């Protein structure tokens, strides 16, 4: 079983951390967990904290709305208006 | 959060914890706007003004900038926003636990190159400002002053960046007003010369109207694609994807075309994109002083953000992970200072072409990242694997390199060059209907999608069926 560094640099037997808030985040990592190499203690602690917390979403509905508006709709309008002038 | 934690977050290439990602929308917008507004805006505007009139040029350039920003946001945004990592770390799932050095090299060369250009611009503007204010005599020894001012600027940037991202934000807060000075300059030119602006003919316009229009769009797309190296280091300081979208468009995509209109208008009406020169024509020496102050401040802010992004990118090299922040800053600042001190004129004359060639790679890079994240990985990233380069890891592929990504990158670059020579602007194929960047991104994405089927069958890459 893989050993996990703690932030103080010591070792302890890892316990699986399930995230109730975002079980998918845990599921994503699961297949590779046994292959993960030893990381520096600070980085290990940091990643463990991220894995045990809810992973933030990339873009929510409002984000997609603004991206479609600014990245597609407005450029199309600008191109049409500019071409006619 | 303690001061030590803040410092760690500001100077680390590691993923940031939610508590460390404290930049709200306003702070992010201010920082991105200060980063985006620089002398390159005049150069971009001047380039567009070679092919298009004012209204058409403004429409094409703005549309292109927004489209390019969308590509960059969809490529680097998801991983950076979710895990608080920078642009280079976000390429590890595609390029592999060692192959990421390819985008890292692109980032380093692009940022250091642009920073060197901007810092030389800064020094030259400062000399002109000194002459305009009467502090220096006309014909002052710029051969001595430019290197000296370059060194001074590098020293100030180095000092500011000792505070990491907080230093970038601090400089941005101080210099943010220059964006409004730029808009005032644009208002002056447009209000004084509107009839001439409408009547002006672009000097290098091709007979094909569509080609000219497409080139304006392409220049806009290419401009914002070159923000790829910068954007990760900034947006990772914001807590999530929801916070970054509007600031990226309003702070980074919008100011560039707006301020580029200064160069566009100046090039069309007064045959000079240098605002100091035409503001003197329009409003006398006082306006020229304001303009020079603007240019000086603008380049200083952008260079600060660039050096920060570059230093964070270097953190991905294992040999540099443990080095002090001061060492990283020195590694990043020193090439910029050396160029500014020893070969400013040679660099000015030659390096623009090299930067144009480097810029070709960012469209394919975005295509690869988008197809990988949204289609192949279905928005799943293994944050642990990003920081592991041990054989057998999910992103190890073969010897740490994903051949599919390299093949796709090469395909995208070839597609771009076949459609548009970035140096001579000779075009071919469907360029007039498609631009060069969009097909290059699409070609890279398509090749990556196909080649990745073999990677997935080989059980590499951490893909899940």
């Amino acid at each position: 079983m893989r050993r996990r560094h703690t932030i103080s640099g010591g070792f302890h037997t890892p316990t699986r951390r399930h995230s109730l808030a975002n079980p998918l985040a845990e599921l994503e990592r699961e297949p590779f967990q046994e292959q993960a190499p030893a990381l520096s203690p600070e980085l290990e602690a940091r990643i463990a904290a991220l894995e045990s917390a809810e992973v933030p979403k990339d873009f929510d509905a409002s984000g997609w709305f603004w991206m479609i508006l600014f990245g597609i709709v407005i450029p199309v309008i600008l191109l049409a208006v500019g071409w006619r002038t | 959060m303690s001061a030590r934690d803040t410092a760690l977050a500001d100077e680390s290439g590691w993923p940031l914890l939610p508590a460390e990602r404290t930049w709200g929308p306003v702070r992010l917008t201010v920082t991105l706007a200060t980063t985006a507004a620089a002398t390159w805006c005049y150069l971009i505007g001047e380039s567009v003004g070679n092919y298009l009139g004012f209204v058409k040029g403004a429409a094409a350039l703005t549309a292109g900038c927004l489209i390019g920003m969308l590509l960059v946001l969809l490529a680097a945004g998801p991983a950076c926003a979710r895990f608080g990592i920078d642009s280079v770390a976000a390429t590890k799932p595609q390029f592999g636990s060692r192959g990421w050095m390819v985008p890292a090299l692109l980032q380093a060369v692009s940022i250091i190159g642009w920073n060197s250009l901007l810092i030389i611009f800064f020094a030259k503007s400062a000399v002109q400002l000194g002459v305009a204010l009467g502090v220096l005599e006309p014909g002052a020894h710029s051969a001595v002053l430019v290197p000296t001012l370059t060194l001074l600027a590098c020293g100030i940037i180095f000092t500011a960046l000792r505070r990491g991202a907080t230093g970038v934000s601090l400089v941005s807060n101080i210099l943010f007003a220059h964006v409004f000075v730029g808009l005032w300059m644009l208002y002056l030119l447009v209000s004084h010369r509107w009839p001439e602006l409408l009547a002006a003919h672009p000097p290098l316009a091709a007979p094909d109207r569509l080609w000219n229009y497409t080139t304006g769009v392409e220049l806009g797309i290419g401009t914002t694609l070159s923000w790829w190296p910068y954007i990760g280091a900034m947006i990772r300081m914001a807590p999530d994807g929801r916070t970054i979208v509007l600031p990226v468009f309003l702070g980074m995509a919008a100011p560039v075309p707006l301020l580029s209109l200064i160069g566009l208008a100046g090039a069309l009406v007064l045959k000079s994109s240098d605002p100091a020169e035409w503001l003197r024509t329009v409003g006398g020496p006082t306006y020229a002083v304001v303009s020079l102050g603007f240019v000086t401040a603008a380049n200083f802010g952008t260079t600060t953000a660039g050096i920060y992004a570059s230093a964070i990118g270097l953190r991905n090299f294992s040999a540099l992970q443990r080095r002090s922040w001061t060492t990283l800053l020195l590694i990043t600042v020193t090439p910029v200072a050396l160029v500014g001190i020893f070969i400013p004129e040679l660099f000015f004359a030659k390096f623009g072409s090299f930067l144009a060639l480097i810029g070709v790679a960012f469209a394919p890079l975005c295509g690869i990242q988008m197809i990988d994240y949204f289609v192949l990985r279905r928005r799943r990233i293994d944050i642990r694997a990003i920081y592991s380069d041990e054989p057998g890891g999910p992103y190890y592929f073969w010897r740490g390199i994903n051949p599919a990504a390299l093949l796709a990158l090469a395909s995208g670059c070839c597609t771009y060059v076949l459609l548009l020579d970035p140096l001579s602007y000779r075009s071919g194929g469907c360029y007039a209907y498609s631009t060069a960047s969009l097909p290059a991104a699409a070609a890279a994405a398509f090749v990556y999608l196909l080649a990745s089927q073999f990677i997935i069958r080989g059980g590499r890459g951490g893909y899940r069926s």
Side-chain angles (χ1 to χ4, degrees):
Chain A
M1 186 175 285
R2 189 173 65 87
R3 294 168 74 86
R4 187 190 294 273
H5 292 77
T6 64
I7 194 164
S8 60
F11 293 94
H12 69 87
T13 305
T15 53
R16 172 88 63 215
R17 296 168 192 235
H18 289 287
S19 168
L20 293 174
N22 187 3
L24 188 63
E26 187 72 16
L27 200 61
E28 287 171 17
R29 189 172 61 78
E30 207 162 4
F32 324 121
Q33 197 168 33
E34 298 307 318
Q35 303 168 350
L39 302 169
S40 70
E42 293 95 335
L43 179 56
E44 173 62 50
R46 199 166 269 273
I47 288 175
L50 281 172
E51 286 170 342
S52 65
E54 184 182 3
V55 177
K57 279 185 178 179
D58 43 25
F59 304 115
D60 62 1
S62 69
W64 283 108
F65 170 78
W66 292 119
M67 279 195 287
I68 291 168
L69 181 69
F70 282 107
I72 298 172
V73 177
I74 293 178
V76 167
I77 293 170
L78 280 171
L79 288 175
V81 170
W83 181 250
R84 288 181 183 182
T85 54
Chain B
M1 194 165 52
S2 70
R4 184 186 174 279
D5 291 337
T6 306
L8 189 67
D10 281 5
E11 300 164 6
S12 164
W14 291 339
L16 299 180
L17 299 175
E20 295 165 335
R21 301 169 67 185
T22 54
W23 288 18
V26 174
R27 191 173 179 186
L28 186 59
T29 305
V30 167
T31 306
L32 290 175
T34 311
T35 305
T39 298
W40 48 40
C41 292
Y42 313 136
L43 304 178
I44 296 158
E46 185 178 23
S47 300
V48 175
N50 283 330
Y51 305 104
L52 292 168
F54 187 72
V55 177
K56 264 194 166 60
L61 182 60
T62 308
C65 283
L66 292 172
I67 294 167
M69 201 75 256
L70 179 68
L71 294 181
V72 171
L73 193 54
L74 287 175
C80 297
R82 288 179 68 191
F83 298 109
I85 58 178
D86 74 307
S87 299
V88 170
T91 63
K92 291 181 183 179
Q94 298 89 45
F95 284 81
S97 55
R98 290 181 184 156
W100 60 267
M101 289 182 197
V102 174
L105 188 68
L106 286 172
Q107 185 205 41
V109 172
S110 174
I111 293 186
I112 291 173
W114 273 114
N115 282 349
S116 301
L117 275 181
L118 292 178
I119 211 75
I120 297 167
F121 267 122
F122 163 85
K124 289 188 169 201
S125 305
V127 171
Q128 283 181 285
L129 184 60
V131 172
L133 288 171
V135 178
L136 298 172
E137 289 181 13
H141 304 290
S142 61
V144 177
L145 284 172
V146 169
T148 308
L149 286 167
T150 299
L151 198 58
L152 180 68
C154 287
I156 295 170
I157 290 169
F158 175 80
T159 307
L161 285 180
R162 293 289 301 276
R163 297 180 63 183
T166 305
V168 178
S169 180
L170 185 70
V171 169
S172 301
N173 288 340
I174 295 168
L175 298 179
F176 182 59
H178 82 262
V179 177
F180 297 99
V181 176
L183 296 178
W184 168 76
M185 286 158 47
L186 176 64
Y187 166 75
L188 271 184
L189 188 59
V190 170
S191 60
H192 281 68
R193 303 289 180 119
W194 182 247
E196 291 168 77
L197 265 179
L198 290 183
H201 286 287
L204 301 179
D208 183 355
R209 286 174 65 220
L210 181 60
W211 189 94
N212 294 326
Y213 202 50
T214 305
T215 300
V217 178
E218 174 60 34
L219 284 165
I221 296 175
T223 297
T224 38
L225 283 177
S226 65
W227 290 122
W228 181 91
Y230 291 75
I231 199 166
M234 308 293 156
I235 61 175
R236 77 186 196 124
M237 300 303 294
D240 49 37
R242 172 201 288 259
T243 314
I244 65 172
V245 177
L246 269 180
V248 163
F249 277 105
L250 298 179
M252 198 161 234
V256 172
L258 274 176
L259 295 177
S260 296
L261 297 184
I262 299 172
L264 173 61
L268 282 170
V269 176
L270 301 160
K271 311 301 174 200
S272 168
S273 64
D274 179 0
E277 199 175 319
W278 61 249
L279 268 182
R280 189 181 291 117
T281 310
V282 171
T286 310
Y287 281 15
V289 169
V290 173
S291 163
L292 286 168
F294 166 81
V295 173
T296 308
N299 290 342
F300 191 80
T302 305
T303 310
T304 304
I307 286 175
Y308 174 72
S310 197
I312 289 291
L314 287 178
R315 276 280 192 227
N316 289 290
F317 289 91
S318 55
L320 297 174
Q321 277 178 7
R322 289 281 172 189
R323 295 284 175 185
S324 69
W325 180 241
T326 304
T327 306
L328 276 180
L329 283 180
L330 281 174
I331 292 172
T332 319
V333 169
T334 302
V336 177
L338 290 176
V339 167
I341 292 166
F342 293 110
I343 51 167
E345 298 305 330
L346 179 68
F347 194 84
F348 227 54
K350 300 286 182 192
F351 203 70
S353 304
F354 185 56
L355 284 175
L357 288 172
I358 289 286
V360 166
F362 289 124
L365 187 55
C366 289
I368 291 167
Q369 283 193 294
M370 282 190 287
I371 204 80
D372 185 70
Y373 180 77
F374 288 106
V375 178
L376 290 171
R377 296 193 188 277
R378 297 173 202 164
R379 305 166 95 165
R380 287 191 287 261
I381 296 285
D382 182 352
I383 184 63
R384 181 176 294 277
I386 285 181
Y387 289 91
S388 162
D389 59 358
E390 292 285 311
Y395 302 151
Y396 188 72
F397 295 95
W398 283 273
R399 295 179 184 274
I401 294 168
N402 180 8
L406 297 184
L407 182 65
L409 185 66
S411 307
C413 291
C414 289
T415 304
Y416 189 107
V417 174
L418 284 173
L419 289 170
L420 181 70
D421 181 333
L423 299 179
S424 68
Y425 275 72
R426 273 196 294 270
S427 65
C430 59
Y431 168 74
Y433 300 94
S434 64
T435 72
S437 288
L438 295 182
F446 183 66
V447 170
Y448 186 80
L449 184 64
L450 287 184
S452 291
Q453 303 311 313
F454 296 100
I455 308 290
I456 294 168
R457 282 182 197 170
R460 309 291 172 107
Y463 295 100
R464 299 171 71 206
S465 57

